Amino acid sequence: MRIIQTIAELRQWSREARRAGNLIGLVPTMGALHAGHLSLVHAAKAQCGRVAVSIFVNPTQFGPTEDLAKYPRTWDADCAALEAEGVDVVFAPVPEEIYRPGSSTFVEVEGLGSRLDGQSRPGHFRGVATVVAKLLIAAEPDRAYFGQKDAAQVAVLRRMVADLGLPVELKICPIVREPDGLAMSSRNRYLSAEERQRALVLRQAIDAVAASIAGGERDSEVLKAVARANFADQPSVQIDYIAAVDWATLLPVAIVAPGTLFAVAAWVGETRLLDNFIAP
Ligand code: PAF
């Protein structure tokens, strides 16, 4: 497995691999890899001849009061896991490689970028869209892999790729869960044993909504109330949002239809967690 730190070298690797007849897969990450990330790598390995994984804790997607400095960094374990998966390249640039001195160009997905997580974390999706655009331009992949857990991020990136005409296919992989149902996230490692237990309420709320939809309920206000009722037993978990939205626009819907995104975000102590469900 090759470790690459510069854009020039990454692009050269990608172009040579394509000339040799391979499809190129890119899995963008911020490291602290877990089974959710590895499911993206599996999908990429199954569908592409060559796979690169980027590990870059992107400073521009963190707000001034957020966890950039303490974001988990587990380089050795990440590389061991990626090597075991048969990844070809790890792209691990220093921040100055991505944000050159004097850098002043950003990608802003208007509207979408300030909904859901974008509303709670102003500027977050501007940072995400900017770094993903830079990674796609650097690696020139045929396919790029993202997790459904970050469903609003997916909507923002789909819009960006369509708007900029980037020649890449986005592949969205299902949420991977711990055995007890908690959606996998690098931030789960922040949770104390007690918070870890309380965090299960997100999954319970999502399950309750899924069961109501399966039972024929379609009214989004009723479904949001179903989700909220689960949180009533856990007053120490603060709801950030409970939303039923069109997955393409992130705008609220009154009636849940196939493809509607039902999403929750909540604070468990200092840790903000997400979960969601796409209506069948
Ligand atoms: O989902 C993430 O881990 C990050 O937002 C991403 C897509 C790697 C951009 O930094």
Side-chain angles (χ1 to χ4, degrees):
M1 188 172 75
R2 201 162 136 194
I3 312 287
I4 292 182
Q5 290 185 296
T6 67
I7 291 169
E9 199 185 330
L10 180 67
R11 186 171 293 140
Q12 191 186 1
W13 166 80
S14 168
R15 288 185 179 178
E16 278 170 12
R18 181 174 291 103
R19 262 199 302 278
N22 295 292
L23 285 178
I24 314 297
L26 175 69
V27 183
T29 82
M30 299 205 298
L33 303 181
H34 51 65
H37 295 112
L38 298 183
S39 76
L40 307 180
V41 173
H42 282 301
K45 286 284 297 175
Q47 298 171 3
C48 306
R50 293 288 180 271
V51 173
V53 175
S54 61
I55 297 183
F56 180 64
V57 182
N58 172 37
T60 63
Q61 71 188 76
F62 290 81
T65 61
E66 292 182 350
D67 55 351
L68 172 62
K70 71 167 182 132
Y71 195 82
R73 287 161 171 88
T74 57
W75 172 256
D76 290 341
D78 291 352
C79 284
L82 296 176
E83 180 113 56
E85 294 291 339
V87 164
D88 299 289
V89 160
V90 174
F91 178 52
V94 294
E96 297 72 29
E97 179 70 5
I98 300 295
Y99 298 101
R100 298 289 163 90
S103 168
S104 65
T105 303
F106 290 87
V107 178
E108 181 111 35
V109 180
E110 290 185 359
L112 274 171
S114 50
R115 295 176 193 141
L116 299 192
D117 308 280
Q119 181 162 14
S120 317
R121 305 179 66 190
H124 171 65
F125 283 135
R126 179 188 198 242
V128 170
T130 299
V131 79
V132 172
K134 285 170 180 268
L135 292 168
L136 294 173
I137 290 167
E140 300 180 338
D142 299 284
R143 294 172 177 157
Y145 294 78
F146 299 90
Q148 183 199 308
K149 202 228 351 136
D150 300 306
Q153 169 171 283
V154 167
V156 167
L157 294 178
R158 281 179 171 152
R159 186 76 256 164
M160 176 192 80
V161 163
D163 288 354
L164 297 181
L166 296 176
V168 64
E169 189 183 349
L170 299 189
K171 295 284 192 181
I172 311 309
C173 300
I175 296 177
V176 178
R177 297 180 180 280
E178 302 283 357
D180 64 5
L182 182 68
M184 291 215 179
S185 163
S186 301
R187 291 187 167 91
N188 289 352
R189 65 188 80 201
Y190 296 152
L191 300 170
S192 68
E194 193 213 331
E195 288 171 342
R196 173 72 185 67
Q197 206 49 39
R198 284 195 259 141
L200 293 176
V201 65
L202 277 89
R203 169 64 194 268
Q204 285 155 8
I206 288 293
D207 279 354
V209 168
S212 296
I213 293 174
E217 184 58 64
R218 291 285 179 273
D219 184 320
S220 69
E221 290 309 320
V222 173
L223 293 166
K224 284 192 263 185
V226 166
R228 200 165 278 116
N230 282 267
F231 286 87
D233 301 336
Q234 283 291 2
S236 55
V237 176
Q238 296 299 314
I239 298 169
D240 179 7
Y241 63 71
I242 293 178
V245 297
D246 179 317
W247 198 6
T249 63
L250 302 182
L251 287 170
V253 297
I255 299 297
V256 168
T260 296
L261 166 65
F262 198 96
V264 300
W267 288 94
V268 183
E270 302 281 288
T271 307
R272 188 170 170 282
L273 299 177
L274 308 178
D275 206 337
N276 68 68
F277 171 74
I278 309 296

